[in-house]
Amino acid sequence: MPGRRHRRVGFRAALLTGFVTTLITAGAVGPVAAAGTGTPVGSGAGTTPATARSEARVTTAVLDLDHPDGKPQVWGKDVPYDTASIIKVDILATLLLQAQDAGRGLTRQERTRAEAMIEHSDNDAATALWRQIGLAPGLEAVNKRLGLSSTVGGAGGTWGLTRTTATDQIRLLRAVFTDGGTSSASEPTLTTTSRNYIRTLMTRIAAGQSWGVSAASDSGWALKNGWLQRSTTGLWDINSVGQVTSGTHHYLVAVLSDGNASMPGGIAAVERAARAAVSSARAAG
């Protein structure tokens, strides 16, 4: 039946949107499925080898924005993980700060790409903006200004292989969700207009991509997720970052994980970690 077929293809395409197509050029993780098509690129894409074993690890960082000490709590080892598509928030923040430096707003094309990149996790849009910001050097220059100290951009076009830590993601989220950001006094922060733009896009995540840290919210949330299956092992990187509201407090939450046996299992683990961390922070607050 045509209707059922289109629904199946649409769901599969949505599921694969977070894959990083440019990883193929790196040779670091092997072939992956092409974004939004469901079409395997190279052998074994989208399958889990029978010999693969889950070696999952999860790190969670939470910052209570309404707590006076302003220090994040961390569960797990705060070590680098591959970002997959959560890097798209950093790409947009970099683009906006570069535009601010130039004394201009975003062009219509830049806005179209930014909205597709965040709301639908569009990889082609991310690749175009990654190149525009100057690849890893451009990203890292802005990250230094925003206070990120442990994030290393992916080589060449492989933005999804950027390495980051949970605490660095909290620093990035602070730059987006707080007035002062994390920049030094001598460096300009993202303007209110820029911050509001990123926040708004993070509340418009496409249906099917709004899982993750939102599980810890009892009202509003804003987020970006990343998911990537490694064809060499069949295991999954599953990440989620954003702001959630629980009770009367607002929390910045970053959950990074890898070695998950499946995407649904990784999502469940990330959501459990987010709920537990916010619950603990809420009790402490």
Side-chain angles (χ1 to χ4, degrees), residues 57-58 81-84 86 211 225-229 236-240 255-260 262-268 270:
R57 59 176 184 164
V58 180
Y81 290 79
D82 290 332
T83 59
I86 62 168
W211 46 266
N225 296 323
W227 57 100
L228 171 67
Q229 187 180 31
W236 288 79
D237 298 340
I238 304 290
N239 304 320
S240 185
V255 186
L256 308 181
S257 77
D258 59 19
N260 297 286
S262 68
M263 182 174 177
I267 291 173
V270 164

Side-chain angles (χ1 to χ4, degrees), residues 179-264:
D179 291 341
T182 54
S183 297
S184 65
S186 62
E187 293 284 4
T189 61
L190 290 166
T191 64
T192 299
T193 300
S194 293
R195 293 196 307 272
N196 286 341
Y197 182 59
I198 301 174
R199 296 176 194 175
T200 298
L201 298 189
M202 291 175 71
T203 65
R204 296 178 179 173
I205 300 303
Q209 296 184 22
S210 59
W211 46 266
V213 298
S214 55
S217 174
D218 54 26
S219 54
W221 54 263
L223 62 77
K224 183 69 191 81
N225 296 323
W227 57 100
L228 171 67
Q229 187 180 31
R230 314 314 280 268
S231 64
T232 54
T233 63
L235 303 178
W236 288 79
D237 298 340
I238 304 290
N239 304 320
S240 185
V241 298
Q243 178 186 255
V244 303
T245 302
S246 181
T248 60
H249 284 218
H250 302 83
Y251 301 89
L252 302 181
V253 188
V255 186
L256 308 181
S257 77
D258 59 19
N260 297 286
S262 68
M263 182 174 177

Side-chain angles (χ1 to χ4, degrees), residues 2-3 18 38 68 84 94 108 121 141 143 146 188 195 197 233 256 268 276:
T94 299
R108 179 177 298 181
S121 206
N143 280 348
L146 296 178
R195 293 196 307 272
Y197 182 59
T233 63
L256 308 181

Side-chain angles (χ1 to χ4, degrees), residues 128-219:
L129 294 179
W130 176 251
R131 291 171 179 161
Q132 184 172 334
I133 65 171
L135 308 176
L139 182 90
E140 291 169 5
V142 166
N143 280 348
K144 184 177 181 180
R145 293 167 59 179
L146 296 178
L148 281 68
S149 58
S150 302
T151 298
V152 179
T158 58
W159 43 263
L161 290 183
T162 297
R163 302 279 284 172
T164 194
T165 62
T167 52
D168 248 19
Q169 287 303 297
I170 294 295
R171 293 183 182 107
L172 175 61
L173 292 171
R174 287 188 70 173
V176 173
F177 288 95
T178 67
D179 291 341
T182 54
S183 297
S184 65
S186 62
E187 293 284 4
T189 61
L190 290 166
T191 64
T192 299
T193 300
S194 293
R195 293 196 307 272
N196 286 341
Y197 182 59
I198 301 174
R199 296 176 194 175
T200 298
L201 298 189
M202 291 175 71
T203 65
R204 296 178 179 173
I205 300 303
Q209 296 184 22
S210 59
W211 46 266
V213 298
S214 55
S217 174
D218 54 26
S219 54

Side-chain angles (χ1 to χ4, degrees), residues 15-30:
L15 182 66
L16 291 169
T17 303
F19 278 58
V20 182
T21 56
T22 52
L23 296 182
I24 300 168
T25 62
V29 298

